Every structure is written in C-alpha cells, then in structure tokens.
Amino acid sequence: MARLLEGLEAFEADVDLSLGRLHYAGQSLHDLAVRATLEEGRLTISRLQAQQQLEEESPRSLNVQGWLESEDQRLLAELQAELDRIDLTAALAPLGFGPLGTLNGSLNTRVVDGGLLFEDTALDYQAPHWGLSLSFTADTRTEGVEGQRIHLVGEGSYEEEPFEFDLLIGPLLDLTDPETPYPVSGELASGETRLWIDGSAVQPFALESLEGSARLEGPSPAELTELTGINLPELPPYRVSGYVSYRENLLSIDSLEGSFGDSDVAGDVRIRFGEPPKLWATLVSRQLEADDLLPMLGISPGTGPGETATPEQQQWEAQERRAEMLFPDREWDLEALRNTDIVLDYEAANVQAEHVPFEDLALALELEQGVMTVEPLQVGLGGGEVRASWVMDARQAAIEGDLQLALDQVNLAALLDEAGLPEVARDTLGRIGGRGDFRYRGRSMHEVMAGLDGELELAMSQGWLDIIAAELLPLNVANALVAALTGEDQVQLECTYVRFALDQGLADLDRFFMATEIAHFEGAGAINLETERMDLAFQGHNIDPTLFTGNSPVELQGSLRDPEVNVITEELIARGALSLLGAIVAPPLAILPWVDPGGGEQVGMGCERALSEFEE
C-alpha cells in the first residue's frame, strides 16, 4: 500500500463513483459508493459504502472513511469503519487468505511507525470453521509498557467452551514477519481456570512459534480436556508455572513447578497436537498427599479443615457420606482415555496418608489407543515395599483390566508409629506380606468393585490386635471387637493369615487364622462390594483354659463405612448364626517367606511358632 501511494504522489484526483453492482471473485457488492480525493500523496476517503449480499440472507453493510499516505516508504493512516456482519472470506477473496470469518462492529484505527493501533474499537468476530467466537474492545496503551501496545479485553468461545481475555499485544502489522517476535502478555480465563502469559509469538496467525513464561491455575486440569483436546486428569485445585514454547505442532513446558491439592509437583511436559494427541511427562513430588489422587478414580479427596478441594469435590464427599458409599458410581470419561496417548514417569519422595505409613512412590505409565499399562508401580510402605502391575483397556463400552499386587517386608512398627503409638511400636517386630490378583470391568469405581474377581492373601507375624483393628476399622468399632473377642484392652499377636476369594464383587473370607498370646481365632463370612456391606464372624479357642477370652462368637456386620459389632447369643446360634464358621484352617507354610525378614525367631518366626503350637 505504501509503494502504491508513493507512485501516486505526482497525481491529483477527485473520485465520485456509484455502482449498482460490482462483481469480483465470484461474489457481488451492491450499492457501492466511493467519494475520495488524492492530493500530495494523501488519499482521503470521505465516503466508502457498500452492501454485501450472500445467497438469501439480508444485506450486510460496510461504511469507511479516513485517509492514507506514504512517508519514507512507510504507511500512515487513520480510518474509521462501521461493519455489519461483513464476511471477510468473501470480501478479501482476491487476496487469497482463505476462510476468515465475519466481522461486526466499530473500528477506529491508526497506522503509526509501522504499527496498527486502535482507539475505541469494539468488534464481534465469528469464525465457525475454527470453532472460534470473539467479542472484544481494543485501545492503544503507551503508559507502563515498552513502545505501544494494544489492550484487548473481551470474551469468546472455542469449540463451545467459553473464555475471557485481557491482553496486551503488539501493533497489528507485520504479523507474518518470520523474523520478528510478536509480544503477547496478559490473562485468559475459562470458567475458574486462569492462564497468565508473558512472551512472544512469531507469525501468530499461523502460530509458527510461541514462547514465554506462563502460569496456570484452576479447580481441576480435567476442565481443560474439551478446550485442549488432551485427556487431562481429575485432580484437586492446582497451580503450575513454567517456560512454554510451541514449535512444529509440539508444545513444551520446561521447569514446570507448582501444586495440586496439598501436594507439590515439578518436571517437564511435552504435548504433540494431532490425531491422536500425545503427552510425555517426567514429574516428581517432594510430598504427595495420597488422597489428592482419589479424584482420578471418581472418589472425593480429603475435604476436612486444611484440605484443598473444589466445591464440586466437596459435593462429591457429601453425596458419598449421605449414600454411605466408599465406591461412588460416577462414570469415567472413557472417550477421553481413548483420544490421548500418554507416557508418564512419576516419583514422589514422601507420600502422606492418614494412618498408613507410605514412604515413596514410583511408576511408569503408558496409555496408547485406550490401553493403559502401569509397570512398574512401586510404593514404599513401612520399611517394605508394595509392587504392582496394572493393565487397563478402555476401548470397549466399559473398562477391563488386571491388577497384580505383592507386599514384601512391610514393618508393622512403622504403621504403629504413624498411628501415634511410638512406645508400642518399639516393642513390635511384626512384618506383613501378601499377594493379590484381581480382574475387573466397569464404567465407574462402583461397577468395578461390584464385579471384582480374584484373590487376596495377607500374612503378618506379631503385632497388637487392638492397634491393627483400629487401623482397619473406626476406633469405637475396633475397641468393641477386641473387647468382645478377648476381654482385654490389648492383645499381642503371634501370627495372622487372611485369604479372600472374590467372585463378582463378593469377597468370601475363605481362610482366617489368628494366633495370639491367649488364644487361636478363626473367622468366616463375606463382604459384598456391590452393596458395601459385610457379614463376618469370629470365634476364639483358648490356649490356656485359665485365661479369659470372650465366651461367645462375635459378628462384624453392616456397611463398610459404619460397621457394628454384635456378640452372637445362644438364640442366634440356635438359629444358625454360626453357619458362617467352618473348621479352623491353618495358614500354609508358604506364607513364611512373605513375613520372615531373616532376623531370627524374635522377628519373623511368629507364624512358624504359632503353626507348631496349633499342630500340637
């Protein structure tokens, strides 16, 4: 345009033109009127108006006035325009821009020093081919910024997801210059999610490259899944920052650090946009609150005083409490799992959980075309280790998968110490070991638990019955159970063995053996994971008849969230209540490697000694 105006400096002209119809590039402008003058190289437009007619729609109108000139081979201009739903794609078709959308509103612009600046501009922009809608105001700002910046404030939507923005950007010329970074800073918000950026872009319309500092916070990353097309996890409120760069369809986030819930996180992330998109992440946490991961399973995180959770997650917890449910029936977004590939390496140096002495966590996860593999998954627990291998297939109407667990050398003393009983812990040398093998299918945690198949075996040498019961049950229930079984407040354990066989969500207590300093105990019953109710019975047999244990069997029944203890009376025995109990089944000798740490009889041989006494 500057070169064209320079070529007209030797001319003067007056133009007054009216056309009923102007055909170009396969379209027509109606009632076109132009009144302009050319003098000393300045083109003054006192009137430019036209109507744009597209198919059967009502006419769209354009009115422009202002001036343009060239100075030292640079364009200077001041233009005002009123646009009524002008289709930019049709209007600028000869320039070959391709689909551009429609523009509506008032435009007041100046071209100064190679920059396109705005004053009192208010526009609506619609680009349905990109799923984009914008409504904004634009004004030039010079105070507090380097040079001149355009202040854009407005709202819009992308793929029907609404957002707001408040940005400072560079003058809107030379946007396609491949050598000139284009400054962009400010805030974008979608719902309660907010993004702050301070960086630059090269060729922003083509999005050739982008880089700068960024900070993102919101109620849960999952709220960005629809907006980004990337499957992001459901987590408690988060805040992260890092250095962002985008080149050749790859978004990199370096030196990421921040928090989610009450846990911290740091690392690097790469996201490749495409079909399907793929995410690579290497993340670490100095401290992980275990309940912060529960929302990924559709379960509410901790919502008590000092806990971080969204209002929605607090509602989850209230719903679970009202329904007396441990395993909610919120359906997972399986489509999102199928649409994104993920490679994740994650380590947490310190894992905190109520009453459970977790130590650290490490996992390697790969999700490809709806099939997730987690191997290895390792969790430090009480000086020992829990190892797991987990496969999940989300390609069908419901998730299907397998989970194998192995517990080795878990120190009971650490568990007691975590429970706030260090003195008891010092006298406890117990070890826990076990194996689990599970198969599942479902669209929610409730469905998975309701159809769970497999088996779980656990063994423990030594410990304290009252403390273990308190870890597994509400305190009042634990106290009632121990008192009813033993008649004592505290009873030392020698060996405990438990085996559950699971079939379609019914966990049958297939074997239960517990040897204490005063008695052997047997148990039987089942836990229905679909209804979340239990019906278990326990009975003691004195080692020494002079020592007291409860005279009657004990029943543990009710909901998993709020079980109750009942002493089985003679009347209930007569009605068959003891049918739950079978013959005493001693644990197999194969459990000894699980619990024997190689420290001699005082440490790991409680089970061997108990078995010998039982056989005698």
Side-chain angles (χ1 to χ4, degrees):
M1 180 63 73
R3 288 194 297 270
L4 175 62
L5 290 172
E6 284 181 348
L8 296 176
E9 286 182 352
F11 296 87
E12 292 184 358
D14 290 296
V15 177
D16 191 347
L17 174 68
S18 297
L19 295 174
R21 182 174 298 179
L22 173 66
H23 297 283
Y24 73 99
Q27 66 157 323
S28 297
L29 291 180
H30 298 260
D31 300 324
L32 175 67
V34 180
R35 183 177 300 159
T37 61
L38 178 65
E39 186 176 359
E40 297 181 354
R42 172 177 284 201
L43 176 63
T44 301
I45 303 171
S46 56
R47 180 187 183 195
L48 190 163
Q49 68 180 37
Q51 288 190 346
Q52 188 182 52
Q53 184 72 51
L54 300 176
E55 298 179 350
E56 302 299 324
E57 298 180 4
S58 59
R60 309 178 182 206
S61 63
L62 168 69
N63 287 276
V64 179
Q65 60 184 17
W67 57 266
L68 304 92
E69 67 179 2
S70 175
E71 183 177 286
D72 297 329
Q73 298 183 343
R74 303 188 72 180
L75 179 69
L76 300 178
E78 186 173 314
L79 297 169
Q80 298 82 43
E82 294 292 331
L83 304 102
D84 178 19
R85 300 170 294 119
I86 290 297
D87 187 318
L88 298 177
T89 304
L92 302 177
L95 302 180
F97 285 124
L100 292 175
T102 62
L103 202 58
N104 186 72
S106 299
L107 174 68
N108 297 284
T109 183
R110 293 182 295 119
V111 180
V112 180
D113 296 329
L116 182 62
L117 306 176
F118 295 96
E119 302 289 347
D120 300 323
T121 290
L123 294 170
D124 292 315
Y125 176 63
Q126 305 291 328
H129 53 286
W130 290 328
L132 179 64
S133 172
L134 294 176
S135 178
F136 61 91
T137 62
D139 289 281
T140 300
R141 176 183 291 184
T142 57
E143 295 182 3
V145 298
E146 182 180 348
Q148 294 178 317
R149 294 288 184 267
I150 298 170
H151 187 202
L152 292 180
V153 180
E155 60 186 14
S157 65
Y158 178 68
E159 298 292 352
E160 300 184 355
E161 291 293 321
F163 62 87
E164 301 172 350
F165 55 92
D166 187 339
L167 299 172
L168 283 175
I169 63 176
L172 292 180
L173 282 183
D174 297 327
L175 289 179
T176 58
D177 186 346
E179 305 299 329
T180 305
Y182 183 75
V184 178
S185 64
E187 176 184 354
L188 296 93
S190 177
E192 296 182 45
T193 301
R194 274 168 166 64
L195 170 66
W196 288 266
I197 58 174
D198 184 7
S200 63
V202 173
Q203 299 189 48
F205 287 159
L207 202 59
E208 291 296 330
S209 68
L210 172 73
E211 63 178 279
S213 300
R215 177 163 59 91
L216 180 67
E217 64 179 49
S220 172
E223 295 201 358
L224 294 174
T225 294
E226 292 293 330
L227 190 64
T228 63
I230 303 292
N231 174 34
L232 297 171
E234 180 71 47
L235 293 172
Y238 67 97
R239 176 179 295 183
V240 294
S241 61
Y243 193 82
V244 175
S245 60
Y246 178 87
R247 287 180 179 83
E248 297 180 354
N249 216 31
L250 182 68
L251 176 68
S252 300
I253 307 173
D254 297 310
S255 303
L256 179 145
E257 60 180 20
S259 63
F260 61 96
D262 300 305
S263 307
D264 65 82
V265 66
D268 299 304
V269 177
R270 304 284 182 272
I271 300 174
R272 183 199 66 206
F273 295 94
E275 292 295 336
K278 188 167 185 175
L279 182 150
W280 296 263
T282 301
L283 302 173
V284 296
S285 294
R286 293 186 300 273
Q287 178 164 310
L288 169 67
E289 295 288 337
D291 70 296
D292 287 337
L293 300 180
L294 292 179
M296 293 178 14
L297 301 176
I299 302 173
S300 64
T303 59
E307 298 280 1
T308 304
T310 67
E312 181 183 17
Q313 290 163 357
Q314 291 173 342
Q315 291 178 1
W316 288 8
E317 196 278 334
Q319 293 168 356
E320 293 162 16
R321 187 174 60 253
R322 286 194 300 269
E324 297 187 347
M325 296 179 68
L326 288 178
F327 312 118
D329 56 1
R330 297 180 194 91
E331 291 194 1
W332 297 316
D333 186 356
L334 303 190
E335 189 64 30
L337 289 173
R338 303 176 191 126
N339 289 345
T340 303
D341 292 344
I342 297 175
V343 176
L344 169 66
D345 288 302
Y346 177 67
E347 294 183 2
N350 182 21
V351 182
Q352 296 292 317
E354 187 176 6
H355 301 319
V356 182
F358 287 135
E359 293 168 352
D360 53 18
L361 178 148
L363 65 84
L365 178 152
E366 184 168 351
L367 174 62
E368 185 173 5
Q369 297 182 358
V371 178
M372 186 185 78
T373 303
V374 182
E375 190 173 5
L377 169 59
Q378 297 173 286
V379 182
L381 177 63
E385 185 179 65
V386 179
R387 299 186 308 278
S389 176
W390 182 14
V391 176
M392 183 180 75
D393 188 340
R395 293 176 296 181
Q396 309 303 319
I399 284 177
E400 298 180 358
D402 299 277
L403 175 65
Q404 287 82 41
L405 295 174
L407 287 77
D408 288 318
Q409 305 299 317
V410 176
N411 189 346
L412 177 62
L415 188 146
L416 299 177
D417 192 59
E418 182 74 18
L421 298 163
E423 294 182 1
V424 178
R426 280 195 295 269
D427 297 329
T428 301
L429 301 173
R431 299 275 176 166
I432 303 173
R435 299 289 186 271
D437 189 355
F438 307 98
R439 296 164 298 284
Y440 60 88
R441 187 179 192 277
R443 292 165 295 182
S444 67
M445 200 66 198
H446 176 75
E447 282 192 12
V448 163
M449 299 306 290
L452 194 63
D453 294 325
E455 61 181 11
L456 174 66
E457 290 183 284
L458 296 172
M460 183 183 70
S461 65
Q462 301 189 338
W464 297 88
L465 174 59
D466 56 319
I467 301 301
I468 299 303
E471 289 298 321
L472 299 175
L473 300 167
L475 185 60
N476 60 327
V477 176
N479 291 339
L481 179 64
V482 174
L485 277 175
T486 69
E488 304 285 341
D489 291 332
Q490 192 173 80
V491 177
Q492 188 169 3
L493 297 173
E494 297 291 341
C495 176
T496 303
Y497 172 72
V498 178
R499 183 181 186 276
F500 280 100
L502 295 95
D503 183 18
Q504 290 296 300
L506 187 65
D508 178 52
L509 185 56
D510 184 54
R511 294 183 181 182
F512 179 89
F513 174 84
M514 185 169 65
T516 74
E517 58 187 337
I518 60 175
H520 289 158
F521 293 89
E522 61 178 321
I527 301 174
N528 189 323
L529 297 176
E530 179 177 13
T531 61
E532 297 190 14
R533 300 190 67 82
M534 65 173 69
D535 191 4
L536 305 171
F538 306 93
Q539 185 176 30
H541 302 273
N542 289 6
I543 295 175
D544 186 337
T546 64
L547 295 176
F548 173 82
T549 62
N551 292 322
S552 301
V554 174
E555 187 176 49
L556 182 62
Q557 65 174 13
S559 71
L560 295 181
R561 284 184 72 105
D562 189 20
E564 59 184 34
V565 175
N566 297 311
V567 175
I568 299 178
T569 63
E570 292 184 2
E571 178 184 357
L572 291 175
I573 293 174
R575 288 161 52 186
L578 271 184
S579 61
L580 286 173
L581 296 175
I584 295 177
V585 180
L589 290 176
I591 71 170
L592 295 181
W594 301 355
V595 296
D596 177 14
E601 286 227 353
Q602 295 303 312
V603 179
M605 294 302 181
C607 281
E608 187 173 44
R609 183 169 57 249
L611 283 172
S612 299
E613 292 174 357
F614 174 77
E615 290 171 355
E616 291 176 1

